[in-house]
Amino acid sequence: AVQLVESGGGLVQPKESLKISCAASGFTFSNAAMYWVRQAPGKGLEWVARIRTKPNNYATYYADSVKGRFTISRDDSKSMVYLQMDNLKTEDTAMYYCTAAGGETPFDYWGQGVMVTVSS
Amino acid sequence: EIVLTQSPTTIAASPGEKVTITCRASSSVSYMYWYQQKPGASPKPWIYDTSKLASGVPNRFSGSGSGTSYSLTINTMETEDAATYYCQQWSSTPPTFGSGTKLEIK
């Protein structure tokens, strides 16, 4: 079965940095584009970032709200995907989900999420 | 970016009742996706390619639409269907979600 397990969340102050991780299993990770989607408390879903596969040069894409501050990366040898978040703002407070496509919707598989709180 | 507007924001339905949730796009999209989320849980894929049910979704659910207007329908509401439903498009980057429709049991 597909599993996505996020880790690394926590409480940070504005302008600080945090790196969250996602461990994937149960599918051929190197063949899958990976995504981060976030959900602020009591709010809806927002796509954050995408990283494609090696044949696609690991191309990355970002929501305008995080462009220039967040960096998505992956390590195919470890089946891991990361989100480096710099210059965090209070509005980045959210549950961050690692997601992957599975042939039906763009976001077929979801992790349990990791909470990131940005507050002074 | 394409803005998706869902209506209603909240709806309460009795068991056995028919329920329809609408999603309107600010520009035409080719397909719509739907996700179900229950409190404290991650979203689940629910409908793909506008009208196809994701794995394990009961056939009392259906999806339809084209262009800028899409809908999710529950033929006969059941208590387990109480959740928040989100529509989502990726005909245009960035992918966007609707703001969600909270479906409650009356």
Side-chain angles (χ1 to χ4, degrees):
Chain A
V2 171
Q3 269 203 310
L4 299 171
V5 179
E6 301 94 336
S7 61
L11 172 64
V12 296
Q13 295 193 344
K15 300 185 181 181
E16 289 188 341
S17 298
L18 190 67
K19 187 174 185 177
I20 56 178
S21 305
C22 170
S25 61
F27 64 104
T28 306
F29 180 80
S30 59
N31 290 348
M34 298 296 297
Y35 312 90
W36 288 97
V37 174
R38 69 183 180 183
Q39 186 171 35
K43 301 297 184 182
L45 300 166
E46 180 188 19
W47 168 78
V48 173
R50 171 193 187 194
I51 186 165
R52 298 184 71 178
T53 58
K54 185 176 181 180
N56 293 292
N57 298 315
Y58 299 121
T60 59
Y61 307 84
Y62 299 94
D64 285 346
S65 58
V66 307
K67 200 173 293 182
R69 300 188 299 119
F70 288 13
T71 304
I72 187 172
S73 61
R74 63 190 295 161
D75 184 337
D76 289 348
S77 68
K78 296 180 179 178
S79 296
M80 295 287 295
V81 62
Y82 307 97
L83 189 66
Q84 173 70 42
M85 301 179 289
D86 297 322
N87 189 21
L88 281 159
K89 304 177 180 181
T90 54
E91 53 263 41
D92 295 319
T93 294
M95 184 73 79
Y96 284 75
Y97 294 101
C98 173
T99 74
E104 294 183 344
T105 71
F107 310 113
D108 281 324
Y109 306 118
W110 297 70
Q112 84 285 356
V114 63
M115 189 66 201
V116 173
T117 303
V118 184
S119 175
S120 54
Chain B
E1 73 178 44
I2 294 179
V3 176
L4 301 179
T5 302
Q6 288 185 235
S7 60
T9 303
T10 306
I11 183 171
S14 301
E17 192 175 340
K18 184 175 183 177
V19 177
T20 297
I21 298 169
T22 298
C23 178
R24 298 198 187 278
S26 59
S27 297
S28 182
V29 301
S30 300
Y31 295 104
M32 193 62 72
Y33 305 96
W34 294 87
Y35 301 82
Q36 181 200 65
Q37 187 179 32
K38 293 190 175 182
S42 304
K44 293 180 178 180
W46 214 246
I47 292 175
Y48 67 102
D49 293 353
T50 300
S51 60
K52 299 175 183 176
L53 301 185
S55 304
V57 174
N59 61 13
R60 61 181 177 273
F61 284 85
S62 63
S64 64
S66 64
T68 61
S69 184
Y70 293 82
S71 62
L72 176 156
T73 298
I74 307 172
N75 201 35
T76 50
M77 175 76 179
E78 295 198 9
T79 55
E80 66 182 27
D81 301 335
T84 299
Y85 294 86
Y86 294 93
C87 57
Q88 182 253 319
Q89 69 79 29
W90 208 336
S91 293
S92 167
T93 297
T96 52
F97 292 88
S99 55
T101 293
K102 186 175 183 180
L103 174 58
E104 300 173 330
I105 284 287
K106 193 183 292 183

